[in-house]
């Protein structure tokens, strides 16, 4: 899908689902070396830390977090000093209202070709959709594990908005995982607008967070005797 088509799809519908092949082309168009470190990028999910803030007491979510910024119309980002992730209770009734500190994303991951391509792509896309704004950017690496017959919940808060302008969710890999379907719904409620299961590397969902809510169904192990996990990158852009 060429970038102009993606821009009109998000303008028209408030979200877009992209297959890995399309996403790959868009990332390579955004950055010539994009994806050069893809194997290392994917492997970095093996080094995440437990999320200890889970309201349900679950130990199935691992993560790292980074905060960055971009000037209006810039195509590159700057890393900001490490800081907590904060969501208001209105956006996250389960985990909002407090500053949550997570381990920082490792610097080589942020500086790597894949992440630089993702940032360049997001700056271009979101800059077209919402021009002339500097951005507060957050990057999250998430691993949701299913253990035995116990499901993992990618979005324990249910259908929600992140409280930003735009969200990119990109699958890095899923191993021995069934289900985990991403659904979107108009921000005011009503019927679902669409759903898509991120199954292949680089499969992606992009949402206009002011207009639509998103959620992901629980993930289950296909073979409960084997490790099972779903790894995603989430990047959010909020106008400053
Ligand atoms: Fe979210």
């Amino acid at each position: 899908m060429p970038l102009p088509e993606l821009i009109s799809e998000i303008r028209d519908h408030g979200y877009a689902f992209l297959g890995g092949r399309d996403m790959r082309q868009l990332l390579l168009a955004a950055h010539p070396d994009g994806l050069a470190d893809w194997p290392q990028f994917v492997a970095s999910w093996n080094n995440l830390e437990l999320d200890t803030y889970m309201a349900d007491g679950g130990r199935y979510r691992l993560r790292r977090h980074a905060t960055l910024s971009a000037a209006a119309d810039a195509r590159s980002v700057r890393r900001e000093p490490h800081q907590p992730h904060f969501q208001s209770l209105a956006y996250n009734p389960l985990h909002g209202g407090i500053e949550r500190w997570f381990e920082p994303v490792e610097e080589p991951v942020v500086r790597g070709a894949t992440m630089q391509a993702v940032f360049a792509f997001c700056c271009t896309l979101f800059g077209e959709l919402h021009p002339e704004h500097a951005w507060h950017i957050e990057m999250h690496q998430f691993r949701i594990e299913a253990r035995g017959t116990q499901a993992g919940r990618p979005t324990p808060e249910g259908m929600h908005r992140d409280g930003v302008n735009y969200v990119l969710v990109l699958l890095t890999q899923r191993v021995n995982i069934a289900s985990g379907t991403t659904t979107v719904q108009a921000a005011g409620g009503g019927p679902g607008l669409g759903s898509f299961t991120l199954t292949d590397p680089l499969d992606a969902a992009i949402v206009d967070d002011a207009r639509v809510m998103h959620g992901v169904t629980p993930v289950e192990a296909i073979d409960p005797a084997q490790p099972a996990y779903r790894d995603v990158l989430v990047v959010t852009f909020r106008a400053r």
Side-chain angles (χ1 to χ4, degrees):
M1 182 188 296
L3 188 65
E5 209 173 296
L6 175 61
I7 290 166
S8 29
E9 192 161 327
I10 297 171
R11 274 205 187 112
D12 293 347
H13 304 289
Y15 72 96
F17 296 133
L18 286 152
R21 205 175 304 171
D22 280 335
M23 196 62 207
R24 183 185 180 83
Q25 292 308 322
L26 288 161
L27 292 179
L28 290 174
H31 190 279
D33 302 326
L35 306 173
D37 67 336
W38 179 254
Q40 297 92 307
F41 184 69
V42 174
S44 71
W45 265 255
N46 295 326
N47 204 18
L48 305 187
E49 300 284 342
L50 190 68
D51 180 343
T52 56
Y53 293 93
M54 301 299 282
D56 63 3
R59 296 173 64 82
Y60 56 82
R61 179 153 81 183
L62 304 161
R63 65 198 293 171
R64 284 182 184 270
H65 172 241
T67 303
L68 308 97
S69 61
D73 303 321
R75 279 176 48 85
S76 59
V77 301
R78 212 174 78 166
R79 190 164 189 172
E80 297 292 329
H82 195 53
Q83 52 196 275
H85 175 54
F86 181 82
Q87 289 178 287
S88 73
L89 275 170
Y91 288 112
N92 191 335
L94 276 189
H95 305 117
I98 57 160
E99 295 189 333
R100 288 180 289 161
W101 286 93
F102 301 113
E103 288 300 312
V105 176
E106 297 164 298
E107 188 61 21
V109 177
V110 177
R111 285 180 186 273
T114 300
M115 229 24 249
Q116 291 303 310
V118 169
F119 288 133
F121 165 73
C122 288
C123 285
T124 305
L125 173 64
F126 302 145
E128 287 285 334
L129 289 165
H130 198 79
E132 292 168 31
H133 286 278
W135 298 104
H136 171 88
I137 302 166
E138 294 188 54
M139 163 187 176
H140 305 264
Q141 293 177 285
F142 286 111
R143 170 170 289 179
I144 301 294
E145 296 179 331
R147 291 224 186 102
T149 54
Q150 198 160 28
R153 299 197 285 165
T155 54
E157 67 272 55
M159 292 297 286
H160 67 280
R161 290 161 60 203
D162 288 353
V164 298
N165 291 86
Y166 300 101
V167 184
L168 165 73
V169 182
L170 182 88
L171 186 81
T172 51
Q173 66 173 343
R174 43 193 283 157
V175 173
N176 186 31
I177 281 289
S179 192
T181 299
T182 300
T183 57
V184 296
Q185 188 179 10
L193 297 173
S195 66
F196 181 59
T197 306
L198 310 180
T199 54
D200 296 327
L202 291 170
D203 280 358
I206 299 172
V207 300
D208 179 336
D209 193 55
R211 289 169 60 193
V212 303
M213 302 192 282
H214 59 277
V216 183
T217 62
V219 296
E220 293 134 30
I222 295 166
D223 177 354
Q226 297 297 321
Y229 49 87
R230 175 183 185 267
D231 291 349
V232 299
L233 168 74
V234 174
V235 178
T236 64
F237 271 53
R238 178 162 56 79
R240 304 224 288 186

